[in-house]
Amino acid sequence: MTESPDTGAADPGPTQRSPLQGQVVFEDADYLDAVVDLLGAIAYGELSAFERLVDDARLAPSLRDKVEMCAMASLEFGHVTRLHERLVSLGADPFAAMAPFEAPIDLFHAHTAPADWYEGLIKAYVGDGLAADFYREIAAYLDAETRDLIVASLADAGQASFAVRHIRQAIDADPRLGGRLALWGRRLMGEALTQAQRVAAERDALTALLAGGIDRPGLDLAAIGRMFTRITERHADRMSELGLSA
Amino acid sequence: MTESPDTGAADPGPTQRSPLQGQVVFEDADYLDAVVDLLGAIAYGELSAFERLVDDARLAPSLRDKVEMCAMASLEFGHVTRLHERLVSLGADPFAAMAPFEAPIDLFHAHTAPADWYEGLIKAYVGDGLAADFYREIAAYLDAETRDLIVASLADAGQASFAVRHIRQAIDADPRLGGRLALWGRRLMGEALTQAQRVAAERDALTALLAGGIDRPGLDLAAIGRMFTRITERHADRMSELGLSA
């Protein structure tokens, strides 16, 4: 694969200059709010990814493929428990923390219901990859403990190699499929951006985190631009890994 | 709870007199066929229980209840992997072993789709309990290693206390609910018996296992009658645990 958990910290390297260590940083109420928001968003994202993977597994062409997709789903669910434990240790209610993200994440899924097994596979790989890249970019601005938990929660559960293998085989067998699936990838990207924008507009703590604070480095507009460029490039990498144009 | 993994061996105690030890017993091709059938049936049953629990979790009245139901589902899925490993070690293809049980188990679920959260909870508890009792009864006639695996696979994943707590609260709040849910419990029992009968008629190896062999004790008609009486009694125990008449 073309990505690694470290790439999110490549520019401008806030984690190297940042003084965010241990529990001290959580004395800043705004920072705590932002971390609770972020963990809540990821936890709800993983929960709904779990549900969607199990749902999309029904489209599997064989019992073997179905079991493999359900196994990936089960792995994703394991992360929810660990994110909840962290939220509780920060004094937050995990269910209250997830609640604000139900609507945008459910809408993302409602607008991207796969029409067949292949669209489901691409969604599992490309959709989860997009979300993971975005969260990892934000995680680079956090204390080490929170960042490590987030990076571990976003580890690929096997979707990548599973999807790449199946999609490449399918396009070899029916090259016309490539055009439809390339469009599908663009739609996933567009819908993800729409919902991310909605969250950014509604969750002040999260956007304030990116903007920085008195003793926390933040992103200026140029840096935010570079962040979106990186996310877009990684999306294109994944699409070409699948043999599709982005 | 009113049951324990040992109750299946209470009558007539074949595991005490049976010479089924180690791998020797698998030299009997009929015995091997029956064990492969049984493990395949349980594996497909667990897989589809996993899918149904995740599906029924959508009916949850709160995010907390949904997460708890998905956690139970994930636990069930873990058993599928271990059953598959055992099938492979017996030289069987796990997917071929599961295949004959897709139709009856899918039909059971198609005929017992819950109309609401409470029907889903009762199905998770009563339906899984029924299946577990039935498989444990058969497991009593098997070698120790297979029996232990089956008993571990059928361990309650938390459905029992979760369902009992929620159903009792709901009936306290709306006593009329009790009548509808009692009917639902009877329907689950009837549908389970219909599908079990279908499997018994189609899978000779499994029924031959119950009938016994030259060096294996089996069940006469009276013993089969007692087995069904025990299964029915345990079903009634579960219903009364829920505060419902069986």
Side-chain angles (χ1 to χ4, degrees):
Chain A
M1 296 300 90
T2 52
E3 63 186 69
S4 86
D6 297 325
T7 52
D11 171 306
T15 56
Q16 275 70 52
R17 355 182 264 263
S18 153
L20 309 183
Q21 293 292 332
Q23 291 298 313
V24 179
V25 74
F26 289 108
E27 290 168 14
D28 175 347
D30 291 339
Y31 181 78
L32 178 61
D33 283 352
V35 167
V36 167
D37 255 18
L38 188 60
L39 297 179
I42 300 177
Y44 190 77
E46 298 264 6
L47 173 65
S48 64
F50 165 78
E51 292 180 87
R52 296 304 145 176
L53 282 172
V54 176
D55 206 32
D56 297 345
R58 285 184 215 197
L59 303 165
S62 74
L63 207 46
R64 188 183 298 269
D65 291 324
K66 180 192 263 195
V67 167
E68 204 160 338
M69 200 139 184
C70 289
M72 297 187 300
S74 248
L75 248 166
E76 298 248 18
F77 187 79
H79 300 146
V80 176
T81 313
R82 283 189 288 283
L83 291 161
H84 280 190
E85 286 164 1
R86 178 70 174 158
L87 281 162
V88 169
S89 82
L90 292 174
D93 172 354
F95 299 96
M98 294 198 296
F101 305 99
E102 270 191 78
I105 292 175
D106 287 357
L107 265 179
F108 171 77
H109 288 299
H111 292 172
T112 57
D116 64 13
W117 169 246
Y118 299 111
E119 291 191 2
L121 274 181
I122 292 186
K123 187 173 165 183
Y125 173 43
V126 169
D128 276 27
L130 262 177
D133 283 343
F134 179 69
Y135 292 132
R136 274 196 287 255
E137 288 280 350
I138 301 183
Y141 295 85
L142 302 179
D143 62 290
E145 201 181 339
T146 307
R147 191 172 61 237
D148 291 349
L149 173 67
I150 290 177
V151 169
S153 296
L154 299 173
D156 174 62
Q159 287 98 319
S161 64
F162 185 70
V164 169
R165 179 160 42 91
H166 279 75
I167 297 291
R168 283 184 167 271
Q169 276 172 4
I171 295 176
D172 279 350
D174 176 10
R176 286 170 312 170
L177 193 63
R180 172 162 69 87
L181 294 180
L183 281 176
W184 174 245
R186 277 200 280 283
R187 185 157 141 215
L188 289 171
M189 180 63 160
E191 192 61 37
L193 285 178
T194 304
Q195 297 307 331
Q197 206 136 16
R198 183 176 159 184
V199 168
E202 286 174 5
R203 305 305 294 174
D204 290 343
L206 268 183
T207 38
L209 178 78
L210 285 181
I214 293 168
D215 50 5
R216 281 198 319 275
L219 289 172
D220 58 19
L221 273 181
I224 290 184
R226 286 194 296 277
M227 177 176 113
F228 274 100
T229 304
R230 283 194 299 277
I231 290 180
T232 310
E233 281 169 0
R234 275 180 231 129
H235 172 69
D237 288 345
R238 273 188 292 267
M239 291 301 282
S240 82
E241 191 87 30
L242 292 166
L244 298 171
S245 55
Chain B
M1 296 300 90
T2 52
E3 62 187 68
S4 89
D6 296 324
T7 50
D11 171 307
T15 55
Q16 274 70 50
R17 355 183 265 262
S18 153
L20 308 183
Q21 292 294 332
Q23 291 298 312
V24 179
V25 74
F26 289 107
E27 288 168 14
D28 176 347
D30 291 339
Y31 181 77
L32 179 61
D33 283 352
V35 167
V36 167
D37 255 18
L38 187 60
L39 298 179
I42 300 177
Y44 190 78
E46 298 263 7
L47 173 65
S48 64
F50 165 77
E51 292 181 87
R52 295 305 144 174
L53 281 172
V54 177
D55 206 32
D56 297 345
R58 284 183 216 197
L59 304 166
S62 75
L63 207 45
R64 188 184 298 268
D65 291 324
K66 179 192 262 195
V67 167
E68 204 160 340
M69 200 139 184
C70 290
M72 296 188 300
S74 247
L75 249 166
E76 298 248 17
F77 187 79
H79 300 146
V80 176
T81 313
R82 284 189 286 284
L83 291 161
H84 279 191
E85 285 164 1
R86 178 70 175 160
L87 281 162
V88 168
S89 82
L90 293 173
D93 172 353
F95 299 97
M98 293 198 297
F101 305 99
E102 271 190 79
I105 292 175
D106 286 357
L107 265 180
F108 171 77
H109 288 298
H111 292 171
T112 57
D116 65 12
W117 169 245
Y118 299 110
E119 290 191 4
L121 274 182
I122 291 186
K123 187 172 164 184
Y125 173 43
V126 168
D128 277 26
L130 262 176
D133 283 342
F134 180 69
Y135 292 132
R136 273 197 286 255
E137 288 281 349
I138 302 184
Y141 296 84
L142 303 179
D143 62 290
E145 202 180 339
T146 307
R147 190 172 62 237
D148 291 349
L149 173 68
I150 290 176
V151 169
S153 297
L154 300 173
D156 174 62
Q159 287 98 320
S161 65
F162 186 70
V164 169
R165 181 161 41 92
H166 279 74
I167 297 292
R168 283 185 167 270
Q169 276 172 3
I171 295 176
D172 278 351
D174 175 10
R176 287 169 313 167
L177 193 63
R180 171 160 69 86
L181 294 180
L183 280 176
W184 174 245
R186 278 201 278 283
R187 185 157 142 215
L188 289 171
M189 179 62 160
E191 192 62 37
L193 285 178
T194 304
Q195 298 306 331
Q197 205 136 15
R198 183 175 160 185
V199 168
E202 285 174 6
R203 305 305 296 175
D204 290 343
L206 268 183
T207 37
L209 178 77
L210 284 181
I214 292 168
D215 50 5
R216 281 198 319 276
L219 289 172
D220 58 17
L221 274 181
I224 291 183
R226 286 194 297 276
M227 178 176 114
F228 275 100
T229 303
R230 283 193 299 276
I231 291 181
T232 310
E233 282 169 359
R234 276 181 230 128
H235 172 70
D237 287 345
R238 273 187 292 267
M239 292 300 283
S240 81
E241 191 86 31
L242 292 167
L244 298 170
S245 54

